[in-house]
Amino acid sequence: MISTWSEWKMYPRAGRGENIEAPITPGIYEVRYAATGALHSFGAVDNVAQALSQLPYSSKSWFGRRGPVAVPELEYRTCATSTKADAKAAAERMIGRRETYMSGAA
């Protein structure tokens, strides 16, 4: 069973005390850059909240002397499912639709 997508929410930044609002169940997540709408990450997982909390999202520079790197504003949305298998099937359908759209738009 697949639910509907949540509304887009701003991805919390470290140090602001904000929390991720996502199901702790299997499902799909999508993260995009707020300014452009370009895809940052997408996945079908066992625990949506945990997956979103572990995304590679850092505000530190590889070189300590250069100071912090500008962190892009991100948005995320989620879709809960009954099982991870349902999440994977839904994600594959979405990827297939995107590929079909992109091949027709090219």
Side-chain angles (χ1 to χ4, degrees):
M1 176 81 169
I2 298 170
S3 67
T4 59
W5 283 100
S6 68
E7 296 294 320
W8 286 101
K9 300 172 188 164
M10 292 304 295
Y11 195 85
R13 289 184 146 186
R16 287 195 199 169
E18 300 169 337
N19 296 312
I20 291 174
E21 297 175 23
I24 56 172
T25 61
I28 307 166
Y29 69 87
E30 185 174 14
V31 181
R32 68 181 183 184
Y33 293 95
T36 64
L39 184 65
H40 175 275
S41 56
F42 174 83
V45 294
D46 283 323
N47 183 323
V48 178
Q50 183 179 27
L52 285 172
S53 71
Q54 295 176 348
L55 280 178
Y57 180 68
S58 175
S59 62
K60 294 184 179 178
S61 170
W62 284 90
F63 308 102
R65 291 180 282 157
R66 294 189 183 188
V69 173
V71 177
E73 291 286 330
L74 299 175
E75 298 176 314
Y76 71 97
R77 66 179 181 165
T78 62
C79 180
T81 61
S82 300
T83 65
K84 186 175 180 183
D86 288 343
K88 281 186 169 185
E92 288 172 6
R93 283 193 306 272
M94 291 178 68
I95 291 168
R97 285 193 299 241
R98 283 185 179 159
E99 289 174 352
T100 300
Y101 172 78
M102 294 307 287
S103 66

